[in-house]
Amino acid sequence: MHHFKLSPFNTTIHYAFEGFEGMKAYRDSKGKIRTFRPEENGKRLCRTSERICLPTFDPNEFVKCLDEFLKVDEQCVPEEPSTLYLRPTVISLDNKLGLQTPNHSMLFVTASPSGPYFKGGLKPVKLKIETEAIRAWPGGTGDVKVGANYIMGIDHAKAAAKEGFNQVIWLNDKYITEAGACNLYIYWINKQGKKELVTPMLDGTILPGITRKSILELTKDDNRFTVCEKKVTVNDLMTAFKEKRLIEMFMCGTAVVVGPIGAVAYKKTMIVPEKPDGELSLEIYKKLQDIQVLLSVTSNSSEECLTLTRTWLTNHLTFTDPSLDICPCYSRLKHSSPHPIYPILWGFGVLGSVSYTHLTLPT
């Protein structure tokens, strides 16, 4: 096991020059190793790096490097329903006090086996709408994945947990933004009497989640309802509940995938959807899981399903079905900055300790 040795003057410690991603490696139904839309994680990590003045890089090269890591640690990817959780991270390596753009940085990846988010099946969660604190604000860093976004809400989530809630729903003024560290969907009958699946519009305070994006794309042609992104106020939610138009709510993200929201507390009102245990959310969860581990995707599946599978999955070990096969190769990680980005340490982490598999990158 190896640990980082950082100077006490390191600027990541003092000024939070840090960003990260969360993604998973899956062992599919045929025993092969796959990741889900890794290029999207690469693009988002690149945006995060740029936002906090760390070097950017080619997301496609990032995915190729990830291929090599997964080939080395293939045996560490567990059987479904467990996964290998991957945490790409960028930090500053400058060691001096004084707030300025870092001149040295490092990108590394740790990995750790992860069990299903809900043990024993999906369970609806109970959330509380936070009315005092906010997670992010216009012009801030809410739309990139930096650790500072998460530490802001820990004390309020802890307080909510003491009251019996699983997490909080964050507001920006009167508008609903996220549920804990997840994106949020609401399935209701709109004021025009039409069924609608809505997620809060990206406004710079909301993280553009990859699962969120995937659900938008997966449901856009469903003729049972319309799908949209728009601003949703607490009053919109309260009104829909009082008028019995609120069908379902769910959260989504890499860790949870999709999780039904059974109840939401707002001041003295407990908002309970018509279907608190989920129905549409369970359907979406199954579709995503089927694609991620190829449980029911074959060459005979619908063209839409095959197209999504080809687009969303990256194959890291040769797959036997040529209609689904994707085999990217390895090359160096290029970056677009005059400042050095240090060789990547690909690591396998257990209980906070990290051992590293060193892959030599061309300099």
Side-chain angles (χ1 to χ4, degrees), residues 97-233:
L97 296 182
L99 185 58
Q100 56 186 305
T101 303
N103 290 312
H104 302 85
S105 63
M106 178 168 63
L107 190 163
F108 64 93
V109 177
T110 60
S112 181
S114 174
Y117 193 89
F118 294 104
K119 294 177 176 62
L122 292 180
K123 299 176 182 177
V125 296
K126 185 168 71 169
L127 307 182
K128 174 187 178 182
I129 294 179
E130 175 57 50
T131 57
E132 296 181 4
I134 60 174
R135 169 193 168 272
W137 47 89
T141 57
D143 60 343
V144 293
K145 204 167 178 68
V146 295
N149 290 345
Y150 297 85
I151 195 66
M152 297 292 290
I154 289 293
D155 56 341
H156 297 278
K158 183 178 178 181
K162 289 181 178 179
E163 298 177 38
F165 298 100
N166 299 97
Q167 255 295 351
V168 301
I169 289 180
W170 298 107
L171 303 179
N172 180 17
D173 191 15
K174 59 184 178 180
Y175 298 104
I176 292 171
T177 60
E178 296 189 8
C182 298
N183 292 119
L184 174 73
Y185 273 87
I186 300 170
Y187 183 38
W188 61 13
I189 299 172
N190 62 24
K191 293 179 181 179
Q192 290 72 45
K194 304 292 185 181
K195 286 185 177 179
E196 183 178 69
L197 180 63
V198 59
T199 188
M201 180 187 297
L202 300 179
D203 60 358
T205 69
I206 297 172
L207 185 72
I210 295 162
T211 307
R212 173 190 182 276
K213 178 180 180 179
S214 300
I215 292 172
L216 285 171
E217 295 172 1
L218 191 65
T219 58
K220 63 183 175 63
D221 296 323
D222 197 312
N223 57 19
R224 294 173 296 174
F225 49 81
T226 58
V227 183
C228 66
E229 302 172 77
K230 65 181 180 182
K231 288 182 175 292
V232 180
T233 67

